[in-house]
Every structure is written in structure tokens, then in C-alpha cells.
Amino acid sequence: MKTARRLSVSGTPRARGPSDGRSGISPVDIADHNSRATLGLLRRFGPLTRQELSRRLGLTEPAIAGIVQRLATSGLVTGRKRASATRYAALEFTLCPEAASSLGIRITPEGGEIVVIDLSCTIRARIGFTDVDEIGEAITSIRHAVSGRLAGCGVALAPGTVIDRAALADSIGQTGGPLYVLDDSEAAIGAERALGIGDPEGGLVTILIDGTVRAGLLIGGRPFRGIHGLAGQIGDMRSGVDGATLNEVATLPSLERHMAVASASPDAWITVAARHLHEAVLAISGFIAPGAILIGGSLPDGILASVISSMAREREEKIRDLVIAPWIPVVQPATHPRDGVVLGAALRPFNDTLFPA
């Protein structure tokens, strides 16, 4: 259970560095792990009593009392009487949202956006930009929404985004705190795991649809990146009787081209996109058999819902007419279809400093 971090939640330096591979677990490691696990539960489930925390963590109530006392002293949690119709009202503990903040940046070839989230992972402010050179100024203008300590800045990069990371760090400067850079599909997976359906048995796949189609994979509780970090790049996959790629028929630009035709209805595009996407789901399911497959990205809400509904019909036809295939999961919309990437980016600094990784 040893964690590879330099500081505990309370900020106390560790006796050993993160590169120390010895198997022993120090008291500071144990206390830090339990504090992070407690904060993670309060983030996911809201206010919890000592008894409820004890059941979920498998620790005694006196141990829980010590944990929440340390967190309360650090200003991260607070206690209050739970509303009750009985004479006895249990003391419950909840996060102090204003105790810490984090910045999340989503960068695409067309621009991007920046959000500030608080400790409860609620978006407090948002601003867009069209060029990476505007990021520093945008952060300055949104910094008023930061409360408490700033955990850092997570940056999620879309495929095809060419950026000088040193220049990006200079643009963000000290105002953004420590910088964390990750792929947008990994960010979307992180948001779904922390703020959505969690970590289902068998793993999780999120499919992002915007300028391209790609997938993020969570296997064994960890993002799977592949040997070159290119796992999940399914946009060039050819499927269907026409042999078209997903990037050609199931992206936001392909929808816009379809709708540009005079009097065009999205129905034909939805049918074709759903058929090709379902072929990708079959391929993913056949090799990985994940516990859940979710779709998010930049498609309009109504279009996304129709695509998922059409994919459900494709699934039923496959099961009825071809094979009995319970391993084909029902595709669902992501918990945060549009905000999953930027939320996942903003979560990254919290995961490194406060929440369970």
C-alpha cells in the first residue's frame, strides 16, 4: 500500500523518498493513505459519520476519529450534526470545498478551456481560449475563483495538439502551481473513475468523439497506454460494409459536413456513425470485455443520445440474429460527456496531493 509521494496530506515530509523501493510501510505512509482514502470517500459519497467511514474503510471508530481530527486540523473537513427526527443526531463529516482548488486545462488544435474546481470537484469558474498563447492571461483572469491552497494545474492534450511544454510551463508560471500533463482520453477516464461510475469489475472504456474518435482504457485500476502511449487510438479503424474509418464517419466534423447539405437531417449520419461505432465496441469487447463502455466528447446532447440509442438497437440485433453475446456491454453516456476531459485534468493535481491516486 506504499505510496510514491513526497508529502503527506498534512504536509509533513516523509522519512524516505518516493524512489525508495523497500517494502516496509512507515507510519507516515499509513496515516497518509488513510487520510487520502477518507477524503476520497467524502468526495464520492458526501457527508459520512464515523460509523459509516469505519464500515467503508475497515478501521475502528477510534482510528476514524483520529483521521478526521487530523483532517479537520488541516482545514480539509468539518463536522456537523446530521439532521434527524430522533433525539440522537450523529456527527457527520464533510469536505470543506473552499479549502483547496485546482486548475484544469483542455487543449485541442482549435483552442480549449480552463476551469477552476474546488475540493468537492465542483467547477467554480470557466474560461475559453483560441490560442495557447492566451493561456497565461486566461489563468490570470480566472484566478479570482481560486480558494484555499492551489494544488496545481492539470493539462489534457487532444490528439494532434502540438505544444512546447517548456513554453506552456512558462506561460502558466507560478500562478498555476505544479504542472501535470496527460492525454485527454486518460483525463476522461480519471474523471469517470472519480466522479462517475467508479472502477467497475472488468475495467472501463471511455470513447471520446470530437475531431477524432479515440478510447481511454482503465484496466486493473490503472490507465492503459500501450508501449508507445497510443493505446485507444481507434479513429483509423475501418469497419462496416463501406470500409470507412471512424474518423471519416463518426466525428463532429463529419456531422457538420453532413448537416451542411441543404435540408439534411442528422438521422442518416446517426445511423452510419452508430453502426461503425458498434463495430468498434464489438472489437473492444471481444478482446478486453470491459465492465462498462461510455461515450463522451463534443457531440450535441441530442445527437449523442440518439447515437447511443441506435447503438443499443445494433447490439440487440447482433445478439438476436448472430450470437448470444452477453460480453457486449450496453453503451452508456459518460457521466460528464462534455466536461469529463477538463474535470479529469483538474483532478490530476488533487490525486497527487490529497485524494487516492
Side-chain angles (χ1 to χ4, degrees):
M1 199 66 71
K2 186 173 185 299
T3 55
R5 296 179 175 85
R6 299 177 183 176
L7 300 178
S8 69
V9 168
S10 63
T12 304
R14 294 178 179 278
R16 299 205 304 262
S19 60
D20 192 326
R22 290 176 290 181
S23 58
I25 301 175
S26 73
V28 175
D29 282 327
I30 296 171
D32 182 60
H33 169 78
N34 289 337
S35 295
R36 290 173 184 272
T38 300
L39 290 174
L41 288 174
L42 294 177
R43 175 193 63 190
R44 185 161 186 83
F45 298 105
L48 295 171
T49 65
R50 278 194 293 264
Q51 188 177 48
E52 290 165 343
L53 286 168
S54 174
R55 286 199 301 267
R56 291 182 180 276
L57 290 173
L59 300 174
T60 65
E61 288 193 45
I64 296 297
I67 294 170
V68 295
Q69 179 59 50
R70 289 195 301 271
L71 293 174
T73 301
S74 300
L76 298 173
V77 305
T78 186
R80 65 190 182 197
K81 292 289 186 180
R82 174 172 287 179
S84 173
T86 65
R87 293 180 59 185
Y88 173 74
L91 183 66
E92 63 182 11
F93 298 91
T94 186
L95 294 176
C96 297
E98 69 281 356
S101 300
S102 180
L103 293 170
I105 305 178
R106 178 177 65 91
I107 303 179
T108 73
E110 295 77 31
E113 63 179 333
I114 305 173
V115 299
V116 176
I117 66 172
D118 61 22
L119 191 58
S120 67
C121 299
T122 299
I123 295 178
R124 303 294 294 272
R126 183 195 307 261
I127 189 171
F129 59 87
T130 56
D131 191 279
V132 293
D133 294 335
E134 302 171 2
I135 290 178
E137 182 179 347
I139 289 178
T140 300
S141 66
I142 204 175
R143 192 114 175 21
H144 69 278
V146 172
S147 61
R149 72 193 201 192
L150 181 61
C153 178
V155 179
L157 301 178
T161 303
V162 179
I163 193 166
D164 185 325
R165 296 196 180 191
L168 177 64
D170 290 341
S171 177
I172 293 173
Q174 296 300 314
T175 59
L179 184 65
Y180 306 83
V181 181
L182 62 162
D183 293 334
D184 63 351
S185 56
E186 183 180 342
I189 278 283
E192 195 62 50
R193 186 185 189 193
L195 307 175
I197 67 172
D199 189 358
E201 183 180 359
L204 171 66
V205 173
T206 61
I207 297 175
L208 293 178
I209 301 174
D210 43 43
T212 63
V213 180
R214 55 212 180 275
L217 313 176
L218 186 74
I219 301 175
R222 295 179 179 273
F224 180 77
R225 303 178 182 89
I227 190 169
H228 299 298
L230 298 177
Q233 300 303 311
I234 61 175
D236 290 327
M237 173 183 175
R238 294 186 179 278
S239 57
V241 295
D242 55 5
T245 67
L246 293 175
N247 285 341
E248 291 170 341
V249 298
T251 58
L252 185 59
S254 69
L255 172 62
E256 293 170 344
R257 289 193 298 270
H258 175 81
M259 296 301 293
V261 177
S263 303
S265 163
D267 294 345
W269 181 89
I270 290 169
T271 299
V272 172
R275 185 174 300 125
H276 282 267
L277 286 167
H278 186 67
E279 293 293 329
V281 166
L282 285 175
I284 293 171
S285 300
F287 281 96
I288 301 174
I293 296 182
L294 311 177
I295 297 185
S298 301
L299 291 178
D301 293 342
I303 298 292
L304 177 61
S306 296
V307 167
I308 292 174
S309 177
S310 184
M311 291 176 71
R313 290 192 293 272
E314 291 281 338
R315 176 181 183 272
E316 292 304 316
E317 290 176 6
K318 284 283 191 286
I319 292 176
R320 183 182 64 249
D321 298 335
L322 297 179
V323 292
I324 299 175
W327 45 266
I328 308 174
V330 176
V331 176
Q332 309 169 60
T335 305
H336 303 278
R338 290 179 174 272
D339 288 337
V341 170
V342 74
L343 277 171
L347 273 165
R348 182 63 180 83
F350 277 158
N351 290 343
D352 196 62
T353 58
L354 293 174
F355 293 136

